Amino acid sequence: MKIVFMGTPDFAVPTLEALYKKGHDIAAVFTQPDKPKGRGYKLAPPPVKVLAQEHGTAVYQPQSLKKDADEYLRILNDIAPDCIVVAAYGKILPKEVLEIPKLGCVNVHGSLLPKYRGAAPIQQSVLDGEPTTGITTMLMGEGLDTGDILLQRETGIGENETASELFDRLSVIGGELLIETLDRLEEGSITPIKQDDSQATYAGMLDKSMCEIDFTKPVFKVHKQICGLSDWPCAVTLLNGKRLKVYRSEIVKDMKANKEPGTVLDDRLSVACSDGVIRFTEVQAEGSKRMKAEDYLRGKPVAAGTKLG
């Protein structure tokens, strides 16, 4: 099958890898422009571009498919792909692009639609304490993740699984499900299913206003905040007036929160919440590197009774 692939971050890489491995003809890859990165702000290519160039595939990086429509519509029409595959591209596809491939534009989305349409479905499912999530392949329409569902695959979310860990797992599942989807589209053995809009929920962009830990909340909520915001933008609290990032945690089930919320209860960074105890297991202090909490405490012990926040 002749395919144009559109994707940008790490999440999209296993899907593109699966297409190469299956032997599909990847005629072109569209990805976002290179962006400044690191201390020197040198331009760095998106992960999808790196993989495409390793395979000698033509790469296009439009600032906008709408503003540069004439040029890129000509390119896409000349290619005449059977299918356009989209995985975390980060740009809206105009109607004129959606109409080009004969089998349509297939999107790989990190949730069980219609739940968690939008920009951050994986992180939001963790933040909300969902027990399961999954991958949906769908035919793209003009709305935001509103197209007809093709296939879905469900997976559980671990109690202490972070959004970044789930992100990696789902990216692999996405590649596997996309291959099955394309096989069945070619066979004509998929019946697209319209989404029930009444069941739709949305997952907006993450931002740093979500980071501050409120220990007066239930311990489950605090734990899922830490899991959901790891690795970015990362849950934070104040320790002795300085920011402490918290990347990983666990709920301590054999301790009682018998102190004011935010109070450290022992020498292991176990902290009282409104109805239970959270223990930090991976942290980063200001001016330091990310490390296991036990390593941090060897150098900077935190006494029981210390108040966080």
Side-chain angles (χ1 to χ4, degrees):
M1 187 185 297
K2 185 188 286 187
I3 291 169
V4 168
F5 183 83
M6 297 184 176
T8 300
D10 292 331
F11 178 81
V13 168
T15 298
L16 182 55
E17 285 179 329
L19 290 169
Y20 283 124
K21 187 174 181 180
K22 182 70 175 180
H24 287 291
D25 175 13
I26 312 301
V29 164
F30 280 65
T31 189
Q32 294 211 36
D34 296 2
K35 292 184 178 180
K37 193 174 183 181
R39 291 184 178 181
Y41 289 96
K42 292 183 179 180
L43 287 178
V48 161
K49 178 181 178 180
V50 174
L51 178 61
Q53 290 179 328
E54 288 173 357
H55 286 266
T57 304
V59 176
Y60 300 95
Q61 296 176 275
Q63 290 287 348
S64 169
L65 287 173
K66 289 185 177 181
K67 291 181 180 178
D68 303 316
D70 291 345
E71 177 184 358
Y72 292 106
L73 284 174
R74 177 185 58 77
I75 291 169
L76 289 168
N77 279 306
D78 286 348
I79 293 172
D82 299 311
C83 182
I84 293 177
V85 172
V86 181
Y89 179 35
K91 291 187 181 294
I92 300 295
L93 272 58
K95 182 180 178 183
E96 294 83 359
V97 172
L98 297 174
E99 293 174 344
I100 289 173
K102 65 181 182 181
L103 292 177
C105 296
V106 175
N107 184 35
V108 179
H109 184 77
S111 79
L112 298 174
L113 292 171
K115 292 185 73 172
Y116 299 115
R117 296 172 178 173
I122 297 172
Q123 296 93 327
Q124 196 63 52
S125 65
V126 177
L127 287 168
D128 290 349
E130 295 282 358
T132 61
T133 185
I135 289 287
T136 300
T137 53
M138 56 176 280
L139 288 174
M140 295 182 70
E142 292 186 73
L144 178 64
D145 301 326
T146 58
D148 292 354
I149 293 169
L150 297 172
L151 294 177
Q152 292 186 316
R153 186 173 298 172
E154 186 173 341
T155 185
I157 300 176
E159 179 182 347
N160 298 323
E161 187 170 24
T162 66
S164 57
E165 291 170 333
L166 181 60
F167 190 95
D168 291 343
R169 281 206 302 117
L170 287 177
S171 69
V172 175
I173 294 172
E176 295 169 351
L177 192 64
L178 186 274
I179 295 303
E180 181 182 350
T181 300
L182 294 182
D183 288 347
R184 291 183 57 181
L185 275 176
E186 275 194 304
E187 296 167 358
S189 63
I190 288 183
T191 302
I193 300 171
K194 288 196 175 298
Q195 294 188 42
D196 182 353
D197 291 339
S198 70
Q199 299 298 311
T201 60
Y202 291 86
M205 297 281 286
L206 301 180
D207 63 68
K208 293 186 178 180
S209 68
M210 308 167 73
C211 295
E212 185 177 354
I213 299 172
D214 180 357
F215 294 101
T216 65
K217 291 183 177 180
V219 66
F220 181 78
K221 286 279 189 183
V222 173
H223 178 52
K224 289 301 176 179
Q225 177 190 7
I226 293 167
C227 292
L229 299 181
S230 181
D231 293 327
W232 191 92
C234 194
V236 299
T237 189
L238 291 179
L239 171 59
N240 298 324
K242 294 187 176 182
R243 286 164 59 88
L244 182 72
K245 292 184 177 181
V246 186
Y247 288 96
R248 297 185 68 94
S249 61
E250 61 188 14
I251 296 172
V252 186
K253 297 172 183 176
D254 59 354
M255 289 182 71
K256 292 184 179 180
N258 54 5
K259 299 287 185 181
E260 183 182 355
T263 303
V264 177
L265 301 175
D266 59 13
D267 60 357
R268 298 180 61 191
L269 274 180
S270 304
V271 187
C273 298
S274 66
D275 66 347
V277 178
I278 193 85
R279 178 174 293 148
F280 302 161
T281 58
E282 191 171 347
V283 299
Q284 183 177 8
E286 279 189 37
S288 183
K289 63 181 182 180
R290 178 174 171 175
M291 64 183 73
K292 291 182 178 180
E294 59 193 53
D295 294 330
Y296 171 78
L297 290 168
R298 284 194 193 100
K300 295 183 179 179
V302 179
T306 301
K307 190 76 185 328
L308 303 182

